[in-house]
């Protein structure tokens, strides 16, 4: 008769704890593999098939996501490309006071977020001012600024022009991207070059491509400035002042006033002429005085001419005999005859 060995209670307790731990671990693993979804279908799938199912599910999900994304891209409307337009305008306005209207135009441009460019002011023979100023204003406030400038006076002429340069902007951006990639490739080749001749050649090529890149960047900046800020050329001219016609004819007092004005004007011009000539006259007098007092006495004098030895001297001059008077001549003749 065999005797059954009794199982120690400690082993039984350890087996129970191990079974409970395995059960808890299996439940948590099944919950994590199912992504937190506790459905009846998941519980019905065996553990060996559940390990293969996620890959197919993932492929199906990825295919569904790709199809949804493709459908979304197909149904979504295409985004409109941003337009780049250069706007310019010229206004000719007649005002009563040019400086005041010019100050208002400057304030309008500055309040809109722009600035004042070139400015030219002239005055004609009749004393009327004419100002030409260039204003740069944001494109968003372009129409508002034009309306404000037209209200400063009487509008005589308005010209507006819009030039679409979207193609140029896109082309420049594309060329800049290509040129930057080209510069990067040249720099990589320079880092790998080992011979001096290759390094020199690559440096020359790098300089050329960098110059082209800088030119493209400058053109891009110019297009950006011209498309973001509109150019408004404003010409301001004063209103002609009508002179009141005089009905009465000029009288004696008018003639006297005119003559006095002419006399004063003549004296003024004479004084101006004398003042202009006086410095030259003083300098000329000083030069003459210097010549007479200092230079002329020091000059050698010319010797007097000496007559030649064989040359006859001057002929003697004899006094001429006085001729008797007519009356005395007859008497003397007769007395001489008598004698």
């Amino acid at each position: 008769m065999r005797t059954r060995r009794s199982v120690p209670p400690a082993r039984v307790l350890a087996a129970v704890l191990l079974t409970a731990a395995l059960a808890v671990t299996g439940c948590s693993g099944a919950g994590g593999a199912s992504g937190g979804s506790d459905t009846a279908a998941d519980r019905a799938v065996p553990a060996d098939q559940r390990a293969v199912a996620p890959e197919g599910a993932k492929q199906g999900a990825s295919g569904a996501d790709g199809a949804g994304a493709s459908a979304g891209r197909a149904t979504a409307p295409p985004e409109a490309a941003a337009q780049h337009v250069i706007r310019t305008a010229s206004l000719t306005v007649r005002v009563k006071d040019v400086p005041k209207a010019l100050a208002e135009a400057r304030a309008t441009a500055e309040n809109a977020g722009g600035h004042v460019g070139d400015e030219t002011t002239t005055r004609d023979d009749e004393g009327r001012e004419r100002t030409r100023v260039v204003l740069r204003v944001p494109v968003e406030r372009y129409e508002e600024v034009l309306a404000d400038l037209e209200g400063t006076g009487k509008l005589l002429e308005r010209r507006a022009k819009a030039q679409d340069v979207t193609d140029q902007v896109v082309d420049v951006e594309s060329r800049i991207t290509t040129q930057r990639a080209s510069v990067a490739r040249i720099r990589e080749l320079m880092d790998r070059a080992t011979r001096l001749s290759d390094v020199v050649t690559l440096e020359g090529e790098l300089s050329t491509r960098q110059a082209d890149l800088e030119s493209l960047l400058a053109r891009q900046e110019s297009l950006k400035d011209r498309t973001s800020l509109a150019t408004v050329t404003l010409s301001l001219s004063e209103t002609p002042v009508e002179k009141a016609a005089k009905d009465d004819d000029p009288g004696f007092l008018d003639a006297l006033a005119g003559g006095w004005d002419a006399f004063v004007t003549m004296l003024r011009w004479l004084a101006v002429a004398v003042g202009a000539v006086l410095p030259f006259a003083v300098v000329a007098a000083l030069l003459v005085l210097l010549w007479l007092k200092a230079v002329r006495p020091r000059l050698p004098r010319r010797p007097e001419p000496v007559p030649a030895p064989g040359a006859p001297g001057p002929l003697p001059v004899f006094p001429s005999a006085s001729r008797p008077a007519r009356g005395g001549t007859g008497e003397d003749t007769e007395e001489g005859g008598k004698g």
Side-chain angles (χ1 to χ4, degrees):
M1 184 175 183
R2 296 180 179 179
T3 304
R4 294 181 178 179
R5 296 178 180 179
S6 61
V7 180
R11 293 184 178 181
V12 175
L13 181 61
V16 172
L17 291 177
L18 180 60
T19 304
L22 291 175
V24 173
T25 306
C27 292
S28 61
S34 61
S37 59
D38 191 9
T39 61
D42 292 335
R43 286 194 298 268
V45 177
D48 55 348
Q49 296 181 4
R50 196 179 301 149
V52 182
E55 296 182 359
K58 289 179 181 179
Q59 293 178 359
S62 62
D65 294 340
S70 301
R73 288 195 297 269
T75 57
E79 297 181 358
Q83 289 187 347
H84 301 272
V85 181
I86 298 176
R87 299 187 181 275
T88 57
S90 61
L91 300 176
T92 303
V93 183
R94 178 173 293 174
V95 296
K96 295 182 179 180
D97 190 356
V98 169
K100 182 179 179 181
L102 181 59
E104 294 178 358
R106 289 176 177 172
T108 301
E110 293 176 357
N111 293 335
H115 62 274
V116 181
D118 298 336
E119 179 181 339
T120 305
T121 302
T122 58
R123 187 184 296 271
D124 57 10
D125 298 336
E126 299 180 1
R128 293 176 296 187
E129 289 187 1
R130 181 179 179 86
T131 298
R132 180 179 178 275
V133 61
V134 179
L135 305 175
R136 303 297 307 279
V137 296
V139 178
E140 297 79 10
R141 307 287 298 276
Y142 171 69
E143 297 294 341
E144 180 182 353
V145 171
L146 284 183
D148 293 341
L149 295 178
E150 291 176 4
T152 56
K154 181 180 179 181
L155 180 63
L156 301 180
E157 184 180 6
R158 170 178 175 173
R159 294 181 181 179
K161 181 180 179 182
Q163 181 182 1
D164 189 358
V165 293
T166 304
D167 296 340
Q168 297 182 21
V169 173
V170 174
D171 178 65
V172 170
E173 291 178 353
S174 176
R175 293 173 63 184
I176 287 175
T177 303
T178 305
Q179 198 69 19
R180 282 177 175 171
S182 178
V183 170
R185 286 195 301 270
I186 294 296
R187 288 179 176 174
E188 291 178 359
L189 292 175
M190 288 183 62
D191 294 339
R192 299 176 183 176
T194 57
R195 294 186 301 178
L196 181 60
S197 59
D198 296 341
V199 173
V200 172
T201 303
L202 291 174
E203 284 183 351
E205 188 66 23
L206 180 62
S207 300
T208 302
R209 299 192 182 189
Q210 283 184 343
D212 295 340
L213 178 60
E214 292 177 359
S215 177
L216 290 173
L217 291 174
R219 185 178 177 186
Q220 184 186 37
E221 189 66 22
S222 176
L223 289 173
K224 182 180 178 181
D225 177 71
R226 294 166 63 189
T227 54
S228 61
L229 294 177
T231 304
V232 180
T233 303
L234 178 63
S235 298
L236 300 173
S237 59
E238 288 186 351
T239 304
V241 180
E242 298 180 357
K243 297 181 179 180
K246 295 182 179 181
D247 297 333
D248 53 342
D249 296 333
F252 175 76
L253 296 178
D254 296 332
L256 182 61
W260 176 255
D261 293 338
F263 178 72
V264 172
T265 303
M266 182 187 66
L267 291 179
R268 185 183 300 112
W269 282 108
L270 287 177
V272 171
V274 171
V277 174
L278 185 59
F280 299 95
V282 171
V283 173
L286 291 176
L287 291 176
V288 171
L289 184 61
L290 181 63
W291 171 266
L292 294 177
K293 299 296 184 181
V295 179
R296 187 175 181 181
R298 297 182 180 182
L299 294 176
R301 296 183 179 181
R302 294 181 180 180
E304 296 181 357
V306 180
L315 297 176
V317 179
F318 298 97
S320 58
S322 59
R323 300 177 62 183
R326 293 180 180 180
T329 306
E331 291 179 358
D332 292 341
T333 304
E334 291 179 357
E335 290 179 358
K338 290 180 180 182

